[in-house]
Amino acid sequence: MIHFDHSSILKRMRTIFRSLIAVAAIAGGATMLTGCVGDFDYGWNPTPPYGWNNTFYDSALTGCWRLAMVNSQPVAGYQVNYMSFDGRGRGEYFYYDNGRRYVENTAYWCQRSSGGNSYYQVNIQYETSGSPTTMNYWFTDNGDTLWMQWRNSYGLQTYIYYYQDYLPW
């Protein structure tokens, strides 16, 4: 007959359980510190303007995106910025100004495009500006490259963002 020492088995199971809890807490904390998409609840709640029908949140935008090129020119250093989209119409814009890091809350909504190079437009409203910026967008490289394009007083602007799992800050 085999004899089991139940107290040592229970002790070993508690040790394993505590180790798993510690690993989960560390992993969760690391994700919270370096993740790019959080749970946004900051009291700022813009919505699409009245009369804008058929708006939606494109799940393909969800995540963190790093600016890689502006009008066919690569960006590096303090020119790099990041956009995050939470999948529910909120996000953040991470950028440098005079070498200092800043974060700004954003709201966004999508709609079918009325022209340009894509079928869809994204409207991004920054917390510090009054009107949303509307741009055509599309994806390449199996969804890992995000193209944004719009026209302003300087002409046609094309920004290319690469998908990124986390912020390097």
Side-chain angles (χ1 to χ4, degrees), residues 7-82:
S7 65
S8 66
I9 291 172
L10 288 174
K11 187 184 242 183
R12 178 76 177 137
M13 288 176 67
R14 276 190 223 115
T15 302
I16 291 170
F17 182 71
R18 286 183 185 136
S19 297
L20 289 172
I21 295 278
V23 167
I26 290 168
T31 300
M32 287 173 36
L33 291 174
T34 62
C36 194
V37 177
D39 187 19
F40 305 100
D41 181 22
Y42 43 78
W44 181 65
N45 194 26
T47 58
Y50 178 77
W52 285 41
N53 298 324
N54 301 320
T55 62
F56 60 94
Y57 305 123
D58 188 342
S59 62
L61 286 170
T62 303
C64 186
W65 300 90
R66 176 182 56 85
L67 181 64
M69 297 188 83
V70 172
N71 299 328
S72 301
Q73 298 299 311
V75 298
Y78 294 132
Q79 295 175 322
V80 174
N81 68 52
Y82 301 83

Side-chain angles (χ1 to χ4, degrees), residues 23 38 42 45 51-52 66 75 80 83 92 98 100 105 112 114-116 119 131 135 137-138 151 156:
V23 167
Y42 43 78
N45 194 26
W52 285 41
R66 176 182 56 85
V75 298
V80 174
M83 297 287 297
E92 292 178 313
N98 290 324
R100 295 185 61 202
N105 294 316
R112 288 213 176 270
S114 57
Y119 294 113
S131 302
M135 57 202 77
Y137 73 94
W138 65 95
R151 198 170 288 286
L156 187 64

